[in-house]
Amino acid sequence: MSVVPEDLTAVSDAWISGLATGTLSGVVDEAAVGGLSKPSYTEFFHALGGVAGADKLDQMQHDLNRTIRDNGISYNVYADASHGPARPWSLDMVPLIIDAAEWEHVSAAVEERARLLNLMMCDVYGEQRLLHEGLLPPALIHADPGYLRPMMGHRPARAVWLHLFAFDLGRSADGRWWVVNHRTQAPSGLGYVLENRLSISRTFPAAFRSLRIQHIASFYKHWLDSVRQLSELGEGARIALLTPCPYNETYFEHVYLARYLGITLVESQDLQVRNQRLYIKTVHGTERVHVLLRRVDDTWLDPLELRPDSQLGVAGLLQAVRAGHVLVANLPGSGWLESPALHGFMPGIAEALLGKPLDLPSVPSWWCGEPPCWASVSSRLHELVIKRGPGLRYDSGPPSVIGSSLSATERQQWAARVARHPEQFTAQETLPLSTLPVWKDGQFERRSLMWRVYACCDADGRYPVLPGGLTRIAGDAGGNVSMQRGGSSVDTWIISAGSIDQTTLLRDRLKAEDVRALRRPVSSRAAENLFWLGRYSARADYTLILLIHALHSLQGRSP
């Protein structure tokens, strides 16, 4: 079902009237309530007044796509051979707009859950009360490679294990937001959040101003300031961002964030540990690194104590972390928090550690490793989503499967597979995700969405939440929200109830003193690459000169 409006000032009303005859029942539309356009979306479309027709919308989307290409914003899709190793980042025009009252509830609930996850890390690597009291099954923790025994007994500065959190939220048919995933190892997407905001706010400046959308730059500053304060050196700490390699799916945002935050981008070859301290190898010798923002998953960080075949980590890094001479954010050892099986135990854990239920609940989940749970869900696999791991040793197959999409024979096969190794699987309720209008092929279409919200922890024990986030859109009407499977993204706008934070990390004009103040070290690896780039460029230049002379000689002319 789609609607093609003739006038942008009537887009919202036309969209809603079209939904009245739609076939997607039991699904919340983020742009409407009770069959009428939400005031925020009415104002958004009316702010585009004077621009008419589908042709103009096509042109605006085309201009937005060209901006993405011109800025080199990319996302590596491993399975997409048609675009090579990287494809342009996908961004749709219409943002997800959240009003101030709803944001107040969501941000408070996200802060509460972030505080709970940090308490869980302190407990599992400390006194292990949750295990002793039966609130967490030992098999669920100790069998997960995300639980790192080398970190047992570690006491981080001010008991902060997790410095950055990401939560994937989905809205159900009753209008409530539910937590679908925790992202705690190396949460990705902050660079794309920033680029989405810059692109969309410049495309729709009038709507952005009239709706009084909250700015997001202060969150990045707060995140950087907090890790500095928690480091050994404090305010003078040198910060580096560790990237796996240019072929990583989100490599663009690694580069983008490093430039935006004014920190050094490094790979494992640029670093070494000596005397329990981390150093970067530069053209002037080694220099200390006090904070390492990493985009490498836990088990790859240290080939000495974790995966011996890893070329993405630094030998001795965990030893330097335990000695307190380098702050790795997030600290290694939180992979078990990302397990889908954990969601079923969150209500009891919240009561034990917080003394109250969670304001933002998890999607109902059952770990099949408990016989009563497996007995209760085995007969209703057609209604549930079956998920594996992560990290547990399991047989081959997809990471998750929707039971309703399986035939009777396939369900029997999956039931037998789970019965063989029930501890490796989790059953979750199917969540019919809410939808948002997106402009595709000259018309509006409904696409499912998932909202990723970010929080950080500061040295004072507070958990600021980014007023926005990364909203991902399904690539087709099937509702599978995945960037690796052709999904897209939209900007997320939070309407401000008070004053708008005017913090910015961008300079209007770069000055000579700004360049001098950067003083970023040049790694020896980068210097070597630049040297060989110069050598091969010179060879190409000499070869071209030789070819020109040869061509003139063949034509009987003097060069």
Side-chain angles (χ1 to χ4, degrees):
M1 187 281 303
S2 60
V3 174
V4 183
E6 295 302 322
D7 189 331
L8 274 178
T9 60
V11 163
S12 58
D13 296 333
W15 168 248
I16 297 307
S17 65
L19 287 184
T21 59
T23 60
L24 294 178
S25 60
V27 175
V28 172
D29 178 36
E30 295 292 344
V33 61
L36 298 174
S37 175
K38 288 183 178 179
S40 57
Y41 279 92
T42 299
E43 185 172 353
F44 171 79
F45 285 115
H46 286 182
L48 310 181
V51 185
D55 291 342
K56 187 61 179 180
L57 283 173
D58 283 335
Q59 184 62 44
M60 295 172 72
Q61 184 65 56
H62 173 75
D63 292 343
L64 183 60
N65 294 339
R66 184 176 61 186
T67 299
I68 297 295
R69 290 193 302 270
D70 291 346
N71 290 343
I73 309 170
S74 63
Y75 180 82
N76 294 347
V77 181
Y78 305 128
D80 188 2
S82 62
H83 291 87
R87 70 167 185 178
W89 177 249
S90 183
L91 176 61
D92 289 307
M93 291 188 299
V94 181
L96 172 65
I97 304 176
I98 305 294
D99 62 40
E102 184 172 27
W103 172 245
E104 183 179 1
H105 167 71
V106 171
S107 60
V110 166
E111 179 180 352
E112 175 188 68
R113 184 171 284 256
R115 183 168 65 254
L116 177 61
L117 293 187
N118 195 74
L119 289 174
M120 292 169 65
M121 287 290 292
C122 293
D123 179 82
V124 167
Y125 287 101
E127 63 181 13
Q128 297 192 337
R129 170 192 168 192
L130 297 177
L131 297 176
H132 294 155
E133 296 182 3
L135 296 171
L136 272 177
L140 185 63
I141 305 302
H142 295 150
D144 193 329
Y147 173 73
L148 302 183
R149 288 170 178 80
M151 298 301 293
M152 183 62 191
H154 179 59
R155 298 292 184 269
R158 306 191 192 184
V160 177
W161 279 86
L162 304 174
H163 309 85
L164 181 66
F165 307 79
F167 303 98
D168 290 331
L169 309 183
R171 195 197 293 271
S172 62
D174 61 1
R176 299 177 65 190
W177 289 103
W178 299 77
V179 175
V180 181
N181 296 308
H182 299 149
R183 296 293 180 231
T184 57
Q185 292 190 69
S188 63
L190 279 177
Y192 294 115
V193 170
L194 184 62
E195 186 57 47
N196 284 0
R197 171 56 55 86
L198 293 174
S199 299
I200 295 299
S201 62
R202 290 167 179 169
T203 302
F204 305 116
F208 190 81
R209 288 191 300 268
S210 65
L211 283 167
R212 294 180 51 78
I213 303 304
Q214 189 58 267
H215 297 184
I216 61 176
S218 60
F219 177 85
Y220 295 82
K221 183 178 184 301
H222 200 100
W223 175 38
L224 217 57
D225 291 343
S226 65
V227 293
R228 280 198 181 98
Q229 294 170 12
L230 291 167
S231 69
E232 182 183 42
L233 194 60
E235 289 299 325
R238 166 166 288 161
I239 304 177
L241 192 153
L242 175 64
T243 179
C245 64
Y247 296 103
N248 183 263
E249 59 184 6
T250 57
Y251 180 73
F252 164 81
E253 77 158 348
H254 305 171
V255 179
Y256 189 82
L257 274 178
R259 291 176 178 174
Y260 179 72
L261 300 175
I263 61 179
T264 305
L265 183 69
V266 296
E267 297 182 24
S268 59
Q269 304 96 311
D270 300 324
L271 303 172
Q272 66 176 187
V273 173
R274 294 189 305 176
N275 298 323
Q276 299 182 345
R277 288 165 175 80
L278 183 65
Y279 295 88
I280 179 174
K281 295 177 284 187
T282 77
V283 292
H284 300 294
T286 57
E287 299 182 14
R288 277 286 304 276
V289 174
H290 307 93
V291 178
L292 190 65
L293 307 179
R294 49 99 173 196
R295 289 304 177 86
V296 177
D297 285 344
D298 287 351
T299 55
W300 302 90
L301 281 174
D302 188 343
L304 193 62
E305 298 191 54
L306 301 174
R307 286 192 58 145
D309 60 336
S310 173
Q311 297 185 14
L312 305 179
V314 185
L317 183 60
L318 289 192
Q319 189 176 10
V321 169
R322 292 193 297 264
H325 298 313
V326 61
L327 174 67
V328 175
N330 286 339
L331 281 172
S334 65
W336 61 276
L337 287 174
E338 298 183 350
S339 171
L342 190 67
H343 293 288
F345 301 93
M346 294 300 289
I349 294 173
E351 289 286 355
L353 297 184
L354 298 179
K356 62 181 292 293
L358 286 167
D359 292 334
L360 197 63
S362 294
V363 174
S365 306
W366 296 269
W367 180 47
C368 299
E370 292 185 314
C373 290
W374 170 233
S376 66
V377 302
S378 59
S379 61
R380 46 189 298 259
L381 293 182
H382 61 286
E383 302 174 350
L384 304 174
V385 179
I386 308 169
K387 292 187 175 182
R388 304 184 310 181
L392 300 177
R393 282 183 266 182
Y394 40 69
D395 54 3
S396 60
S400 65
V401 63
I402 300 175
S404 60
S405 67
L406 301 175
S407 65
T409 301
E410 290 172 331
R411 282 198 297 271
Q412 292 177 355
Q413 294 172 346
W414 267 98
R417 181 180 301 176
V418 176
R420 286 195 299 269
H421 302 287
E423 72 283 355
Q424 299 175 6
F425 295 90
T426 299
Q428 287 186 343
E429 289 285 0
T430 303
L431 184 66
L433 298 173
S434 60
T435 63
L436 191 72
V438 297
W439 187 255
K440 297 289 184 183
D441 301 323
Q443 59 189 12
F444 274 115
E445 299 178 359
R446 294 180 68 168
R447 296 291 172 87
S448 300
L449 67 88
M450 192 172 291
W451 179 20
R452 178 168 293 185
V453 184
Y454 298 86
C456 65
C457 181
D458 64 17
D460 298 323
R462 294 171 300 191
Y463 294 84
V465 182
L466 185 145
L470 179 64
T471 300
R472 293 169 294 154
I473 302 294
D476 53 38
N480 192 337
V481 180
S482 171
M483 300 301 295
Q484 282 286 336
R485 298 182 182 180
S488 184
S489 69
V490 298
D491 193 16
T492 308
W493 288 8
I494 306 298
I495 298 177
S496 175
S499 60
I500 296 177
D501 190 335
Q502 298 295 332
T503 301
T504 180
L505 299 182
L506 298 175
R507 296 182 177 90
D508 293 333
R509 169 178 272 177
L510 189 64
K511 301 177 182 178
E513 52 267 28
D514 297 329
V515 177
R516 288 195 299 268
L518 291 176
R519 295 182 180 177
R520 299 181 192 173
V522 178
S523 69
S524 55
R525 176 187 58 85
E528 182 181 7
N529 290 341
L530 289 172
F531 169 79
W532 286 109
L533 174 64
R535 287 292 300 272
Y536 284 114
S537 298
R539 291 180 182 179
D541 188 42
Y542 296 150
T543 302
L544 181 60
I545 293 174
L546 180 61
L547 288 174
I548 292 174
H549 279 268
L551 180 62
H552 287 168
S553 297
L554 290 174
Q555 294 176 345
R557 294 185 299 167
S558 299

